[in-house]
């Protein structure tokens, strides 16, 4: 009788375990056209299917398994299958596959640059996803521009969001500018591809929650490390005072980065390279080529993670440039740090609840107590990932340029 | 003695064979940052290195091997190595890896959308590569726009090249427009990512070879085929006359395409879907949102391959829209076909020398004999690939809008 009861209990447990995963999987919205996998369900589980019939091992870098990933199993249909052992956090996640020991992307998904490579990506729909959805509202443009950087001797790229009301014919209407930086290992695509910054702005504007402004997203690293003898562009040295000088030749036209064989190195916090690029090269280029309100009161800087650290460094080192500061999972400001900066108009600090939320909220309180226009925000249920930063942008934007 | 001579001959042949491949390999300019492989040499050989230590088989889809690809061999260092058995044509080539029977991209390269998927890409430097290089000249912008398409009930994307002189403050200066279409299996990224259309235009303008014009690049397929029951955006039906209506919700915000589980099907030449999108939705959007010369005399259409077939169909079906026509590896026009079209201002037909060059040149001669302003061009040493089309754009642009 006891064995019988044990057996029944085991069956029941098994049934319950299986019943926990809802079989309402749909393709991730970040899949390549026509690709059904990976799929996600309403609880946040992700299911993967990979075609590699003769492989011995296929592991997905996402999931809660012992290795921090999800080991796939080969089915009778020849495909490798697997489901995460638990739900993933809402929002965007980078990932890749390891096929027989080599790292490859999942051919099912679009590609997203992070961790210094184009990775695969998956989206777990969030309860509040509406604010970054493509909706029935006017859409701004995102424009690729190449600006000459004398300090790094190359053309560099920025993507510039201009709001829907940015009409070329409205000659005398100018806009404030937010300079918005990505994190380590990411690039100038991050904020609009992973972050949907353009859609967040479109929706905020349509909802009347902000007055339109421009958002500039550029590549924030200057210290990739060059391999000696690596091919650099040969060409005439720039003439003094020339605005666009010297050939960028052998560089990568996609990023403007010079050809280098060395992998991108870590962020050197003491490297002023990006500070010069941003303050002395990009800002003047934007002010010359877009309809901007070209003064400190109408210029903000914010960034995520390493971009936040850059923001912290640069806003303090160049206090004449920006009057609104935003750190997104990028640390805090203290009143002591700001005391010598004239007219700080607004400070935003944010992070995910799985990060150091208490520190963020305390920092905001300290700043308010010291008389600053400060806001602290903690994104519920997210970690050091892009849904945190989409929400931070949503919370920060309405405090800018008021 | 005879065996000795045979032996020496074999050695000499072997030496000569090995001496044929110059060991001056450098990383392909399309590699991801920091990635050394694949490499190319001055003769057009490509060398691959892939990390998949436990794989049984790694094949590159490029090359002249029996299977049409290059089978890699596992080295003692655990990497899979291989060099194409002969030189590749100059220019851009799509490719992918097959790892143990599954198709994956080479993590060494950037990604390029072709054959209905994001593929890897490699560039064999061409003798004339300067015309599409990033040079020390003013650069135009490439802007992402989303336009509402009532006929396909979704927002669709276009990338719009505006020339360096396109100054928002110059209120009354307007520009002609070239609508430039991609081939089957490609998308709205093709002409500027694979084709460098923006850089070709920048250089032509800087060299004074053309007066500046706008280039519009959109996604040319409307008949992907929907899986019944696939999630479509729920939302309010557009109000009559509304310009931006209905939620695109569950669609892919990257492409604007609705979520579909079906792979993209072949091109249906009888499908008028794109004709409506282009003529009745995109052109009005561009004329409303950019500084265009909004008349037939200042509007051109051209396309490669399937995009050329679309051009042929649409220019003849909608003769009031365009006055300059370009077919790039996309067939020909005959005087008979054009005889009822009023005021055809220019016709360009081009292809690669490894395609049907004689037919192209004959068609151009027939058109000229019939009184048309026609140009035929055959790209030397290239096939149905992007260097052909970059060169076609170079040759076609100076005949537009004169």
């Amino acid at each position: 009788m006891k064995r019988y009861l044990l057996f029944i209990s085991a069956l029941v447990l098994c049934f319950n375990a299986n019943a926990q995963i809802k079989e309402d999987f749909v393709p991730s919205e970040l899949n390549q056209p026509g690709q059904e996998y990976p799929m996600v369900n309403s609880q946040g589980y992700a299911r993967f299917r990979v075609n590699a019939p003769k492989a011995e091992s296929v592991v997905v870098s996402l999931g809660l398994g012992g290795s921090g990933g999800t080991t796939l199993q080969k089915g009778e249909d020849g495909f490798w299958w697997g489901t995460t052992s638990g739900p993933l956090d809402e929002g965007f996640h980078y990932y890749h596959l390891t096929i027989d020991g080599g790292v490859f992307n999942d051919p099912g998904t679009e590609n997203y640059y992070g961790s210094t490579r184009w990775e695969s990506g998956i989206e777990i729909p969030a309860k509040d996803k509406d604010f970054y959805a493509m909706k029935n509202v006017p859409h701004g443009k995102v424009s690729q521009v190449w600006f000459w950087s004398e300090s790094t001797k190359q053309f560099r790229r920025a993507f510039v969001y201009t709001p829907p009301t940015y009409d070329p014919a409205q000659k005398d209407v100018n806009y404030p500018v937010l300079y918005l930086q990505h994190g380590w290992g990411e690039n100038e695509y991050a904020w609009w591809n992973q972050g949907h910054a353009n859609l967040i702005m479109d929706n905020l504007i349509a909802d009347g929650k902000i007055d339109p402004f421009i958002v500039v997203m550029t590549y924030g690293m200057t210290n990739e490390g060059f391999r000696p003898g690596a091919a650099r562009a040969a060409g005439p040295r720039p003439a003094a005072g020339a605005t666009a000088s010297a050939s960028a030749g052998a560089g990568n036209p996609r990023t403007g980065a010079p050809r280098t064989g060395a992998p991108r190195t870590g962020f050197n916090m003491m490297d002023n390279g990006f500070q010069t690029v941003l303050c002395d090269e990009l800002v003047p280029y934007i002010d010359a080529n877009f309809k901007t309100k070209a003064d400190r009161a109408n210029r903000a800087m914010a960034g995520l993670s390493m971009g936040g650290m850059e923001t912290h460094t640069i806003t303090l080192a160049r206090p004449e440039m920006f009057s609104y500061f935003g750190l997104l999972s990028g640390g805090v400001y203290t009143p002591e740090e700001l005391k010598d900066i004239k007219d700080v108009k607004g400070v935003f600090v944010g992070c995910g609840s799985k990060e150091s939320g208490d520190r963020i909220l305390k920092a905001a309180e300290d700043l308010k107590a010291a008389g600053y226009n400060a806001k602290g925000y903690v994104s519920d249920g997210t970690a050091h990932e892009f849904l945190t930063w989409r929400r931070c942008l949503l919370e920060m934007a309405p405090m800018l340029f008021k």
Side-chain angles (χ1 to χ4, degrees), chain A:
Chain A
M1 183 62 176
K2 196 173 176 185
R3 270 188 243 156
Y4 177 76
L5 286 173
L6 275 171
F7 176 66
I8 295 297
S9 308
L11 271 185
V12 168
L13 279 171
C14 204
F15 176 78
N16 281 343
N18 287 343
Q20 284 169 9
I21 300 182
K22 290 184 183 168
E23 287 296 332
D24 58 359
F25 286 87
V26 296
S28 161
E29 66 192 64
L30 303 185
N31 288 0
Q32 293 196 25
Q35 294 294 322
E36 293 194 273
Y37 285 87
M39 288 197 176
V40 300
N41 80 351
S42 59
Q43 301 163 306
Y45 286 80
R47 175 166 292 163
F48 303 89
R49 184 188 72 180
V50 174
N51 183 34
K54 296 191 170 61
E56 292 180 4
S57 154
V58 179
V59 182
V60 176
S61 67
L62 275 181
L64 310 168
S67 61
T70 301
T71 300
L72 304 191
Q73 305 298 331
K74 194 162 154 190
E76 283 181 17
D77 57 4
F79 286 94
W80 291 77
W81 289 89
T83 305
T84 53
S85 56
L88 301 174
D89 287 350
E90 292 180 317
F92 174 86
H93 306 288
Y94 296 102
Y95 77 99
H96 54 262
L97 307 176
T98 304
I99 315 265
D100 289 344
V103 170
F104 300 95
N105 280 4
D106 185 335
T109 90
E110 300 269 343
N111 300 293
Y112 300 91
Y113 194 83
S115 302
T116 73
R117 64 181 301 277
W118 285 93
E119 291 255 291
S120 291
I122 191 170
E123 183 79 22
I124 306 299
K127 288 178 289 299
D128 58 340
K129 61 182 180 166
D130 185 71
F131 78 90
Y132 52 85
M134 172 158 289
K135 288 160 64 172
N136 176 17
V137 301
H139 295 295
K141 298 182 179 67
V142 177
S143 299
Q144 169 186 273
V145 300
W146 292 101
F147 65 100
W148 176 251
S149 164
E150 183 62 30
S151 66
T152 57
K153 290 283 186 290
Q154 60 185 258
F155 281 103
R156 299 180 73 94
R157 178 163 59 180
F159 288 108
V160 183
Y161 167 85
T162 48
T165 52
Y166 185 93
D167 182 340
Q170 284 182 331
K171 190 170 166 174
D172 298 320
V173 178
N174 296 319
Y175 296 82
V177 187
L178 166 65
Y179 289 85
L180 188 59
Q181 290 308 124
H182 60 79
W184 179 86
E186 294 171 339
N187 70 10
E188 62 271 30
Y189 280 97
W191 264 111
W192 59 294
N193 275 9
Q194 290 87 301
H196 300 312
N198 55 319
L199 299 180
I200 293 170
M201 289 291 293
D202 291 342
N203 294 333
L204 278 169
I205 291 168
D207 291 343
K209 291 187 178 156
I210 63 171
D211 290 329
F213 56 85
I214 292 168
V215 182
V216 179
M217 299 161 280
T218 194
Y219 178 59
M221 294 188 71
T222 57
N223 57 346
E224 283 101 52
F226 296 110
R227 179 181 60 180
R232 293 296 298 280
R237 291 189 65 82
T243 49
S245 321
S247 169
N252 184 332
R254 281 289 305 266
T255 63
R259 168 60 42 221
T260 169
R264 287 187 165 159
T265 59
F267 171 62
N268 178 357
M269 289 186 69
M270 302 315 293
D271 171 23
N272 289 334
F274 181 63
Q275 180 177 305
T276 301
V277 167
L278 174 65
C279 299
D280 302 326
E281 296 168 350
L282 178 55
V283 168
Y285 174 90
I286 296 296
D287 287 340
N289 288 279
F290 287 85
K291 297 186 300 171
T292 65
K293 290 182 177 176
D295 56 30
R296 181 184 178 273
N298 288 287
R299 210 180 286 129
M301 184 178 182
L304 70 93
S305 195
M306 176 189 88
M309 290 189 277
E310 290 182 309
T311 298
H312 184 275
T313 299
I314 292 173
T315 52
L316 297 180
R318 298 291 297 266
E320 81 287 3
M321 296 292 303
F322 307 97
S323 59
Y324 295 86
F325 310 159
L327 308 183
L328 287 53
S329 304
V332 298
Y333 289 96
T334 63
E336 179 66 20
E337 287 171 328
L338 296 180
K339 69 176 177 27
D340 294 327
I341 312 293
K342 266 182 67 175
D343 198 18
V344 176
K345 295 186 179 296
V347 181
F348 176 93
V349 287
C351 71
S353 65
K354 297 186 177 189
E355 302 187 271
S356 49
D358 289 347
R359 179 172 176 240
I360 288 296
L361 294 175
K362 167 118 190 2
E365 291 311 311
D366 290 348
L367 289 166
K368 283 185 231 177
Y372 290 97
N373 171 28
K375 180 173 186 180
Y377 168 73
V378 180
S379 160
D380 184 45
T382 60
H384 199 73
E385 296 191 276
F386 246 104
L387 181 56
T388 296
W389 305 319
R390 294 172 186 162
R391 289 172 174 166
C392 282
L393 178 60
L394 181 74
E395 297 296 326
M396 178 180 72
M399 68 183 295
L400 301 178
F401 314 124
K402 288 290 158 70

